[in-house]
Amino acid sequence: MADNLSDTLKKLKITAVDRTDDSLEGCLDCLLQALAQNNMETSEKIQGSGILQLFASLLVPQSSCTAKVANIIAEIAKNEFMRIPCVDAGLISPLVQLLNSKDQEVLLQTGRALGNICYDSQSSKEQFASTNIAEELVKLFKKQIDHDKREMVFEVLAPLAENDAIKLQLVEAGLVECLLEIVQQKVDSDKEEDIAELKTASDLMVLLLLGDESMQKLFEGGKGNVFQRVLSWIPSNNHQLQLAGALAIANFARNDGNCIHMVDNGIVEKLMDLLDRHVEDGNVTVQHAALSALRNLAIPVINKAKMLSAGVTEAVLKFLKSEMPPVQFKLLGTLRMLIDAQAEAAEQLGKNVKLVERLVEWCEAKDHAGVMGESNRLLSALIRHSKSKDVIKTIVQSGGIKHLVTMATSEHVIMQNEALVALALIAALELGTAEKDLESAKLVQILHTLLADERSAPEIKYNSMVLICALMGSESLHKEVQDLAFLDVVSKLRSHENKSVAQQASLTEQRLAVES
């Protein structure tokens, strides 16, 4: 087999130059046979022979061998190590030109070749962006009536559409209108292939919205036909369209202007209605997508009060019993965004015992780091934004203090900081209530470690010292501070390069000296 393959490759080099179609066809058949028997080994031999560069000259529309050459390229490009060599051999441009062919077999093999070359390969996608492939593919797509042929074009489009430059080119070439038409045609069908095509079309639509430029072009100030059509998917009875509609809204909600426009035009009510339909035994992917959209919409400050008064917290809290980590994660993120700088809402939620108990439970979800992190952050946010004694009492009674203390040791500075600020408020407002929990969680030892550690960020050192001063009001915690010789650590920080840290070190040192 190996000898035959070597002979075939040598012969192919000669016949490719002479263009004797009969001998050429025989060589190509041998290669296809070898690839069918051992694709990887044959591909390596093809690469080593230097014949890839010759394939570019064989990809001509009028040749009877073109489909076979494209088939060989499609086969070798199944191997990841062959994709860059295919690009370097200049095969993209001639393959793109073949998309205009009237020959169905040529089209099929060309589509396979392009799809395989750009599968999971970022360099090659950038090469595609500099060709007119987007325009040619959309033209080709519009011509296809046959399901299998459309599926083939979809297979090329999906990996290409991961590149932002190509996303925009596909939008400008009119792909979105084609996709919307397919959705309209297939939405009421229960045929398996129509359901599959509806999913592919709506998924691709969502993918196009992941690019900032393509998304903004389709949003058109919220007045665009595409945006309006996507809105109509949300109240649909088709789960795939509900999912795509919610994901599309989440993608449109990636800048403040879009978010403000959508909230002012009633999108929140549509998403809440959708969530309502999925509370009992609902579709988890739809729940996750709708919550993602609400979370993004809640980011602009101006939207928070509007969404709170529309009843978003009540709608979201219905999913508190969910056992699905992706839903839990988005639910927590949505609530955290909504209460940011909203004291009344933070207080109302912070006094909700069921919520706080669930947060404390999720703070121990070690298998789901995202849920655990978001639960800690929401606990801290409830205290920081409400500054309420009642909220602190609820969190103490539910066993949340130890989690906030652990959060102060997080590897993420933002989370450490949020924890320290919340703990300082606890110490200032309800030290007596929290005293025992702070003691058993070894807060004082942790603060000593944070201050002594040279790697601690300036804001962590600053807030740790503020917290130390606040803890002095407790006899037992005060004693711990004295026993750990904090004065030594703090006095070193007076010469810290950060002025705020240095000033706070002086104040803390004075406080420690007076109280000793």
Side-chain angles (χ1 to χ4, degrees):
M1 175 69 198
D3 291 343
N4 281 354
L5 182 57
S6 300
D7 291 345
T8 299
L9 290 168
K10 282 176 193 165
K11 194 175 173 188
L12 189 56
K13 276 187 177 175
I14 300 161
T15 52
V17 175
D18 296 347
R19 286 287 171 86
T20 44
D21 273 12
D22 290 348
S23 329
L24 188 58
E25 204 146 347
C27 291
L28 296 173
D29 285 336
C30 283
L31 275 190
L32 283 167
Q33 203 177 343
L35 284 162
Q37 285 176 8
N38 190 332
N39 191 316
M40 190 181 285
E41 194 181 313
T42 305
S43 296
E44 284 170 349
K45 290 251 168 68
I46 289 171
Q47 188 187 2
S49 71
I51 207 155
L52 272 182
Q53 283 77 1
L54 288 175
F55 284 164
S57 63
L58 296 176
L59 290 167
V60 286
Q62 57 273 33
S63 166
S64 60
C65 298
T66 302
K68 282 182 181 168
V69 177
N71 189 356
I72 290 168
I73 295 167
E75 287 301 313
I76 63 177
K78 284 178 178 175
N79 302 291
E80 193 177 349
F81 67 89
M82 290 299 291
R83 289 170 195 154
I84 299 292
C86 283
V87 174
D88 293 343
L91 299 181
I92 289 178
S93 191
L95 283 168
V96 170
Q97 296 314 310
L98 287 177
L99 291 173
N100 291 307
S101 170
K102 302 275 188 291
D103 185 315
Q104 293 300 308
E105 184 61 18
V106 169
L107 278 177
L108 178 66
Q109 300 303 345
T110 300
R112 286 184 63 235
L114 287 167
N116 290 351
I117 291 172
C118 72
Y119 183 77
D120 255 7
S121 173
Q122 201 50 49
S123 56
S124 59
K125 281 177 196 151
E126 279 159 17
Q127 287 256 357
F128 277 104
S130 62
T131 70
N132 63 338
I133 189 166
E135 201 179 326
E136 296 296 348
L137 278 172
V138 175
K139 267 190 216 162
L140 178 65
F141 189 73
K142 285 175 178 171
K143 288 180 199 165
Q144 302 309 320
I145 301 163
D146 181 58
H147 169 78
D148 291 340
K149 294 287 189 298
R150 273 216 293 233
E151 199 59 37
M152 178 272 289
V153 184
F154 268 138
E155 281 171 19
V156 184
L157 283 170
L160 280 176
E162 287 169 11
N163 176 284
D164 280 1
I166 298 176
K167 279 186 183 77
L168 188 59
Q169 290 171 8
L170 290 168
V171 166
E172 287 171 342
L175 177 61
V176 173
E177 288 71 17
C178 301
L179 298 176
L180 289 172
E181 204 173 310
I182 289 174
V183 168
Q184 202 166 349
Q185 289 166 2
K186 311 292 180 185
V187 67
D188 297 319
S189 171
D190 49 12
K191 279 191 200 164
E192 210 168 301
E193 65 177 36
D194 287 347
I195 292 168
E197 202 166 344
L198 174 80
K199 179 178 179 350
T200 309
S202 54
D203 283 351
L204 186 51
M205 178 80 198
V206 171
L207 182 58
L208 291 174
L209 292 173
L210 280 171
D212 287 337
E213 282 187 84
S214 50
M215 176 273 287
Q216 209 54 43
K217 188 174 179 66
L218 293 171
F219 189 65
E220 289 185 79
K223 294 179 172 58
N225 173 45
V226 174
F227 175 65
Q228 295 303 329
R229 291 278 285 279
V230 165
L231 274 190
S232 73
W233 294 355
I234 294 173
S236 149
N237 290 320
N238 182 302
H239 280 186
Q240 175 57 35
L241 280 194
Q242 292 172 359
L243 171 64
L247 287 172
I249 296 303
N251 286 343
F252 280 126
R254 286 210 314 277
N255 64 52
D256 283 8
N258 291 6
C259 289
I260 292 163
H261 177 89
M262 286 192 279
V263 168
D264 286 347
N265 285 274
I267 190 64
V268 170
E269 288 72 16
K270 285 186 169 67
L271 288 167
M272 289 198 303
D273 288 346
L274 177 60
L275 277 175
D276 243 12
R277 296 163 71 184
H278 288 275
V279 174
E280 299 300 328
D281 305 318
N283 182 303
V284 172
T285 53
V286 174
Q287 292 171 358
H288 180 261
L291 288 167
S292 295
L294 286 171
R295 181 201 173 279
N296 288 2
L297 290 166
I299 293 172
V301 176
I302 196 169
N303 281 356
K304 297 181 197 293
K306 292 174 185 174
M307 291 175 72
L308 288 166
S309 62
V312 173
T313 44
E314 292 78 5
V316 169
L317 286 171
K318 288 176 187 172
F319 294 90
L320 205 52
K321 57 190 176 189
S322 172
E323 294 302 331
M324 305 306 292
V327 174
Q328 295 167 353
F329 180 72
K330 288 296 175 186
L331 173 152
L332 292 163
T334 306
L335 291 176
R336 188 165 63 79
M337 284 301 158
L338 281 169
I339 64 164
D340 190 10
Q342 307 295 310
E344 199 179 316
E347 180 162 14
Q348 201 179 348
L349 279 180
K351 292 193 290 192
N352 181 329
V353 177
K354 273 189 182 169
L355 169 64
V356 174
E357 285 177 348
R358 195 71 159 134
L359 291 184
V360 170
E361 183 190 328
W362 287 340
C363 281
E364 291 169 8
K366 291 187 170 57
D367 294 343
H368 303 286
V371 173
M372 193 163 79
E374 276 292 348
S375 300
N376 278 299
R377 292 190 78 186
L378 183 52
L379 263 188
S380 158
L382 291 170
I383 295 169
R384 288 182 296 111
H385 298 303
S386 71
K387 299 180 176 60
S388 155
K389 290 186 169 204
D390 289 338
V391 170
I392 293 168
K393 283 175 189 165
T394 307
I395 289 172
V396 171
Q397 283 155 13
S398 304
I401 296 298
K402 63 181 178 188
H403 297 299
L404 289 170
V405 174
T406 305
M407 185 182 168
T409 65
S410 165
E411 59 190 16
H412 304 290
V413 173
I414 191 164
M415 285 178 69
Q416 279 187 293
N417 219 26
E418 287 171 358
L420 291 169
V421 172
L423 289 164
L425 282 164
I426 292 168
L429 297 170
E430 275 296 325
L431 186 54
T433 311
E435 185 179 47
K436 282 196 175 116
D437 288 354
L438 293 170
E439 215 175 317
S440 59
K442 304 206 169 11
L443 173 61
V444 174
Q445 289 92 318
I446 285 168
L447 292 173
H448 191 276
T449 305
L450 290 175
L451 287 172
D453 188 347
E454 287 179 8
R455 294 165 301 175
S456 293
E459 58 268 42
I460 301 304
K461 290 189 186 293
Y462 178 88
N463 282 321
S464 295
M465 288 187 284
V466 169
L467 183 47
I468 284 295
C469 293
L471 294 176
M472 302 298 263
S474 153
E475 202 175 315
S476 56
L477 292 168
H478 184 173
K479 186 177 182 310
E480 282 189 31
V481 171
Q482 285 179 317
D483 292 348
L484 273 174
F486 265 82
L487 262 172
D488 300 348
V489 185
V490 172
S491 60
K492 284 178 188 166
L493 293 174
R494 281 190 315 172
S495 55
H496 196 278
E497 60 187 5
N498 183 293
K499 277 185 182 169
S500 300
V501 172
Q503 283 172 345
Q504 186 58 42
S506 294
L507 291 171
T508 308
E509 187 181 35
Q510 286 167 24
R511 182 80 191 269
L512 289 169
V514 168
E515 302 272 355
S516 63

